[in-house]
Amino acid sequence: MSLPEHAPSNFIRQIIDADLASGKHSQVVTRFPPEPNGYLHIGHAKSICLNFGLAVDYQGACNLRFDDTNPEKEDLDYVQSIQRDVQWLGFQWAGEVRYASGYFQQIHDFAVELIEKGLAYVDSLNAEQIREYRGTLTEPGRHSPYRDRPVAENLDLFARMKAGGFAEGEHVLRAKIDMASPNINMRDPIIYRVRHQHHHQTGDAWCIYPMYDFTHPISDAIEGITHSLCTLEFEDHRPLYDWVLDNISIACHPRQYEFARLNLNYTVTSKRKLKQLVDEKHVTGWDDPRMPTIAGFRRRGYTPQSIRRFCESIGVSRADSTVDVAMLEHAIREDLDENAPRAMCVLRPLKVTIENWPAGKVEVLQVPAHPKREDLGVREVPFTREIYIDAEDFSEDPPKGWKRLYPEGHIRLRGGYVMQCTAMEKDAAGQVIALTARYDEKTLGVNPEGYKANGVIHWVSADQSVPCEVRLYDRLFSVENPDGDKSRDFLEFINPESLQVMSAARVEPSVAAYPAESRFQFEREGYFAIDPSSTKGKLVLNRTVTLRDSWGKEQGKGGK
RNA sequence: UGGGGCGUCGCCAAGUUGGCAAGGCAACGGGUUUUGAUCCCGUCAUUCGUAGGUUCGAGUCCUACCGCCCCAGCCA
């Protein structure tokens, strides 16, 4: 409807169109290259949709390649979660999963080639010295005293690094480029370092690991990538990407293009910070429904389709930007409004006894599962003498404009009869704890004669409903830019009300028949999904997002 | 004070030989409605960071400013 069915044009598609038109390429090959050091988040979703989406639309290919050159931070659990998340989003990579580590031998051989050409050398300065020799943003660097080591010595040292003859930090391999370059990435960048670490893919086969800047262009070239897409912060690395490919014996030379990474307000999208939230238990895990991870959104009830549509709707450009989470919420509401079956769930039960309904009588009402989708069928909703309505739908002293129940007022029970409140029962503190009402038998599917109902509210049979726990999620952070204040830790902005548990909720029985992850609209409340932790004995539902609420908005205006 | 980028409506974002500012989100009115939902209709940039210049005509070209982001990991 409002969101585009197919990805709109952007500068990358224009480049591809031109490359295809000029004959530079006959096919598009992209890749999604995550480092397996955390779960994928919404920012990765943008990259995934871009790279895989391009492959789909141009009938090309997109590889999934793990950029696993730093065993210290990586883990097998992450390589598994990443594959699961990419597939859940609806994409399939071309052929087998690739690993940069799978190219370690070739990468090593290219390093040897650079040494032989006099374009790389083993440096024996320590980390601190290397930093000093690198210079600053405004001052050029200086040559390392080891820069002019003879080729034979470099070859020997590098072989011994590989053989495990040195400790971490003793020697590194550097590309010999230009210590005076205004681009710091070109000041003899380190391309190999010693790491006596077990690697999740290669085990203990290697104790030297190539750096990203050396690994990435080679991996892209080996795979025949045509368009290597990455985020803006790598723009300064592009000259190095090209330098590597220009100086080794490899025919393919992919081109790198950069786009702006996704920022979302009220959210953090930094793997380091997300990992901190998990490690310090501010959330229950990477898949906590409040996390902006793919796994979190999945558990929260987001659909793959909604995330793909969202990614299309935000576009791809080179301008730093922060997207309003309202865009994401719009995408999931749009999907679920169209596709989610409806049901009724009472979050704060208030018992109503319908005095003119016989005790023990159960009438099974046939209610459409969706107001517009007849194909979704009907559900059976039992109506009995005792029902529950939401405590917030009754007001002893209703404000102006109130369209719910009040003493003596008439209300339509959604999908059922119109009833009139006849009495209320209060506890010692003056709280209303139960209501009595009378139903109008001539109002099932028909408007009442001679009077009008004040509104429509949802309800559930007291003994024919299913008890459940409903988790009401709200944004994890209470400020738009949680890491925008350098003097304050982002954890200070965690929303203390990001999770509210409604443990006494009751849901209509139709819901209990659905499997985990099923999504519903609980009428007048919002969209909800069955949490995977649910069992027959304990049903748990997660609120994905609320319905738009013009009444709540109006109430909020008057100050509250 | 080095280098690389970016600045079009509150938030994204089209705008490709200079020709007279798309669209979405949000917001705000109104209509329909057994969800205060959905849906429908309408309003919402004489202006494109600023200032000059070229031109019949500039968001698009030129100049100079201003602002914001990234880079000094043996991370990616």
Side-chain angles (χ1 to χ4, degrees):
Chain A
M1 250 157 269
S2 47
L3 291 180
E5 279 297 340
H6 293 291
S9 183
N10 56 54
F11 76 97
I12 291 170
R13 284 172 180 265
Q14 290 169 7
I15 288 167
I16 291 174
D17 289 340
D19 289 347
L20 257 18
S22 71
K24 178 177 177 182
H25 294 298
S26 56
Q27 171 186 222
V28 174
V29 184
T30 57
R31 103 269 90 119
F32 172 59
E35 182 188 15
N37 65 347
Y39 272 54
L40 260 24
H41 55 65
I42 190 71
H44 294 109
K46 176 179 181 181
S47 177
I48 291 168
C49 291
L50 210 212
N51 281 293
F52 283 94
L54 251 15
V56 170
D57 293 353
Y58 286 91
Q59 295 175 58
C62 179
N63 295 342
L64 171 63
R65 180 174 75 232
F66 287 102
D67 220 330
D68 55 349
T69 58
N70 185 5
E72 197 176 345
K73 292 184 177 173
E74 299 159 8
D75 196 286
L76 204 51
D77 288 345
Y78 296 135
V79 343
Q80 283 157 358
S81 72
I82 288 169
Q83 292 178 53
R84 193 163 58 232
D85 289 345
V86 170
Q87 288 179 312
W88 178 77
L89 270 180
F91 297 107
Q92 186 56 56
W93 45 89
E96 296 296 299
V97 170
R98 328 286 167 123
Y99 295 87
S101 58
Y103 310 134
F104 278 174
Q105 185 61 49
Q106 293 164 84
I107 294 168
H108 164 272
D109 295 347
F110 284 124
V112 170
E113 181 186 348
L114 286 181
I115 294 173
E116 287 169 339
K117 286 177 171 170
L119 292 174
Y121 62 97
V122 171
D123 197 353
S124 306
L125 253 25
N126 63 38
E128 192 184 335
Q129 292 171 316
I130 287 180
R131 191 184 337 117
E132 285 166 7
Y133 275 77
R134 188 150 37 221
T136 68
L137 294 178
T138 53
E139 304 161 66
R142 289 136 52 210
H143 285 3
S144 162
Y146 302 100
R147 196 173 197 260
D148 294 315
R149 278 221 253 239
V151 169
E153 187 181 337
N154 283 321
L155 251 15
D156 174 61
L157 252 14
F158 188 52
R160 286 160 61 195
M161 282 168 64
K162 174 174 181 276
F166 300 116
E168 293 185 9
E170 249 186 286
H171 305 284
V172 292
L173 184 69
R174 293 232 250 171
K176 190 187 286 186
I177 306 180
D178 178 8
M179 288 306 290
S181 173
N183 180 346
I184 291 180
N185 294 119
M186 299 299 270
R187 316 238 266 229
D188 289 10
I190 291 166
I191 59 177
Y192 260 98
R193 76 288 213 190
V194 174
R195 280 289 174 276
H196 293 285
Q197 287 265 343
H198 186 80
H199 188 284
H200 52 95
Q201 299 300 319
T202 60
D204 298 311
W206 296 86
C207 64
I208 53 171
Y209 291 92
M211 299 285 287
Y212 165 85
D213 284 314
F214 192 55
T215 307
H216 211 80
I218 294 173
S219 302
D220 281 347
I222 288 171
E223 294 178 12
I225 301 302
T226 54
H227 303 266
S228 180
L229 313 178
C230 61
T231 43
L232 253 22
E233 66 268 28
F234 290 100
E235 187 155 22
D236 289 341
H237 296 243
R238 194 170 66 220
L240 179 49
Y241 182 100
D242 290 330
W243 183 93
V244 169
L245 296 179
D246 285 341
N247 288 288
I248 61 175
S249 302
I250 197 162
C252 182
H253 191 139
R255 293 297 159 183
Q256 172 182 305
Y257 298 97
E258 310 84 17
F259 62 93
R261 71 184 312 147
L262 171 65
N263 296 299
L264 257 193
N265 59 10
Y266 297 102
T267 321
V268 298
T269 41
S270 134
K271 269 199 218 169
R272 204 208 102 233
K273 292 195 173 81
L274 294 179
K275 188 169 190 304
Q276 188 181 348
L277 288 169
V278 173
D279 291 345
E280 296 178 4
K281 309 248 191 294
H282 296 106
V283 295
T284 59
W286 285 98
D287 69 343
D288 185 297
R290 291 165 293 184
M291 289 285 274
T293 51
I294 308 283
F297 283 122
R298 175 179 183 171
R299 197 167 158 199
R300 176 90 170 235
Y302 275 73
T303 59
Q305 162 89 343
S306 69
I307 292 175
R308 280 189 257 117
R309 291 284 207 97
F310 166 73
C311 289
E312 283 172 10
S313 76
I314 58 175
V316 178
S317 78
R318 291 176 57 85
D320 292 317
S321 61
T322 300
V323 173
D324 193 333
V325 278
M327 287 249 222
L328 222 202
E329 295 177 345
H330 170 76
I332 188 57
R333 285 195 184 107
E334 184 178 56
D335 185 349
L336 263 18
D337 173 60
E338 186 182 338
N339 301 306
R342 261 101 267 215
M344 292 189 283
C345 179
V346 174
L347 266 24
R348 311 157 197 83
L350 173 63
K351 183 171 285 187
V352 181
T353 300
I354 299 164
E355 51 190 357
N356 57 339
W357 186 274
K361 178 182 175 185
V362 178
E363 178 174 355
V364 179
L365 303 169
Q366 304 294 310
V367 183
H370 192 286
K372 295 177 180 171
R373 294 274 305 276
E374 281 185 35
D375 59 301
L376 262 28
V378 290
R379 73 192 129 113
E380 299 191 328
V381 184
F383 185 68
T384 54
R385 178 180 167 88
E386 293 193 329
I387 62 171
Y388 290 119
I389 65 169
D390 195 291
E392 291 193 348
D393 282 337
F394 177 78
S395 173
E396 194 180 344
D397 181 23
K400 210 173 281 132
W402 183 252
K403 291 172 65 173
R404 309 178 189 183
L405 193 60
Y406 57 92
E408 310 292 309
H410 294 269
I411 200 76
R412 164 140 247 142
L413 294 171
R414 164 120 260 228
Y417 299 91
V418 171
M419 70 171 190
Q420 177 177 28
C421 176
T422 53
M424 56 186 168
E425 185 184 332
K426 294 182 178 179
D427 63 13
Q431 279 296 113
V432 176
I433 53 171
L435 299 175
T436 302
R438 296 183 65 82
Y439 86 106
D440 182 339
E441 62 177 354
K442 299 190 294 291
T443 56
L444 187 61
V446 185
N447 282 135
E449 283 176 34
Y451 67 96
K452 283 175 69 177
N454 191 46
V456 183
I457 62 172
H458 57 100
W459 57 279
V460 105
S461 161
D463 58 28
Q464 303 281 304
S465 59
V466 179
C468 59
E469 174 178 314
V470 178
R471 297 175 182 167
L472 266 21
Y473 292 105
D474 196 357
R475 46 180 61 129
L476 224 205
F477 294 96
S478 49
V479 298
E480 276 205 43
N481 186 3
D483 42 26
D485 188 338
K486 283 131 229 118
S487 64
R488 296 235 262 155
D489 192 275
F490 78 106
L491 296 172
E492 293 179 41
F493 302 112
I494 288 182
N495 176 7
E497 291 168 5
S498 62
L499 169 59
Q500 191 184 351
V501 179
M502 309 305 283
S503 48
R506 313 276 310 194
V507 68
E508 65 172 69
S510 70
V511 169
Y514 286 82
E517 295 194 342
S518 295
R519 308 172 183 92
F520 307 88
Q521 182 199 97
F522 287 161
E523 293 187 279
R524 303 206 315 129
E525 288 291 355
Y527 297 97
F528 295 78
I530 298 179
D531 191 81
S533 72
S534 289
T535 59
K536 283 120 290 183
K538 188 187 180 191
L539 186 56
V540 177
L541 289 140
N542 298 324
R543 183 173 70 194
T544 310
V545 65
T546 61
L547 253 27
R548 285 179 66 209
D549 180 13
S550 57
W551 169 249
K553 191 179 293 177
E554 191 177 316
Q555 292 301 291
K557 280 182 195 166
K560 160 188 158 182

